Amino acid sequence: PFIKRCILLIVDAIEPERVRSILESELLYIEERHKNIQMFFEKGAAYSPAFGMIGTLIGLINMLKDLDDPDSLGPNMAIALITTFYGSIMANMFFMPIAGKLKIRNDEERLCKEILIEGILAVQAGENPRNIQDKLYSFLPPKFRVEENAEEVKGKKDKKQKKQKTSAA
């Protein structure tokens, strides 16, 4: 849908500054929605241990009310302490990893959409395709740019070797 919107904006002959403004506004609102969901999981990670401690306090109250029965102390203490464990597990194995993954996915999506915006605006400006490619490569980390260039160089070497083999035969 985002690519379709980008293309429709340039096909409708909207001036480049306006296209950039519209697309960056859309990107900003997408990111805001993602941040709200991410904050939900971050708050869950922050509150889970506290709820675990509340459960522990309630369990300790139950344990202390049966203080005259020594056989019930162990099971009641176990129940009291397990809630702290559950709170920590929920925070560290559920809420925090999801929040982290959502942040990573948001950053990746933002980068992809920024690349699309720059590419669409370059196409609209009528830039040379090779210049557009170089401009868009600048968004990528150097290790990915090197791999792309290495594949191109390898492809050219393979073609050269094939030509040499066919001419030698």
Side-chain angles (χ1 to χ4, degrees):
F2 190 79
I3 294 173
K4 181 179 178 182
R5 181 147 169 82
C6 292
I7 293 171
L8 288 175
L9 287 172
I10 64 169
V11 167
D12 290 341
I14 297 174
E15 54 278 349
E17 302 83 30
R18 182 82 176 122
V19 171
R20 180 182 294 279
S21 173
I22 290 169
L23 295 175
E24 286 181 350
S25 293
E26 188 170 331
L27 186 59
L28 183 69
Y29 290 119
I30 289 170
E31 191 168 5
E32 188 66 31
R33 284 193 306 271
H34 291 179
K35 294 280 184 201
N36 288 338
I37 296 167
Q38 182 184 341
M39 288 294 295
F40 170 81
F41 286 99
E42 287 174 354
K43 288 182 188 235
Y47 296 146
S48 291
F51 282 115
M53 289 304 293
I54 290 169
T56 297
L57 292 174
I58 292 170
L60 288 175
I61 291 169
N62 284 336
M63 183 186 80
L64 292 175
K65 81 175 180 182
D66 291 332
L67 204 54
D68 47 344
D69 182 14
D71 290 335
S72 69
L73 288 179
N76 284 334
M77 177 63 98
I79 290 171
L81 293 178
I82 197 74
T83 59
T84 301
F85 175 71
Y86 284 151
S88 295
I89 291 294
M90 290 296 290
N92 293 300
M93 295 186 78
F94 179 71
F95 288 115
M96 285 174 46
I98 290 175
K101 185 169 262 190
L102 288 173
K103 182 182 181 343
I104 290 168
R105 293 255 171 100
N106 178 61
D107 293 345
E108 289 172 350
E109 183 176 350
R110 180 173 178 79
L111 177 64
C112 288
K113 289 186 176 177
E114 285 176 357
I115 292 171
L116 278 170
I117 291 170
E118 289 302 320
I120 288 293
L121 291 173
V123 167
Q124 184 181 22
E127 290 184 29
N128 181 316
R130 183 71 179 157
N131 292 342
I132 295 173
Q133 180 183 8
D134 291 340
K135 180 190 284 189
L136 299 182
Y137 271 153
S138 69
F139 281 92
L140 299 176
K143 72 176 189 177
F144 292 118
R145 284 185 258 163
V146 171
E147 288 176 10
E148 281 291 325
N149 293 336
E151 287 178 19
E152 288 178 19
V153 170
K154 184 182 179 226
K156 289 179 183 177
K157 284 183 182 178
D158 289 344
K159 286 181 184 177
K160 190 175 182 180
Q161 288 174 351
K162 284 180 183 178
K163 283 182 182 179
Q164 289 174 350
K165 286 180 184 178
T166 54
S167 63

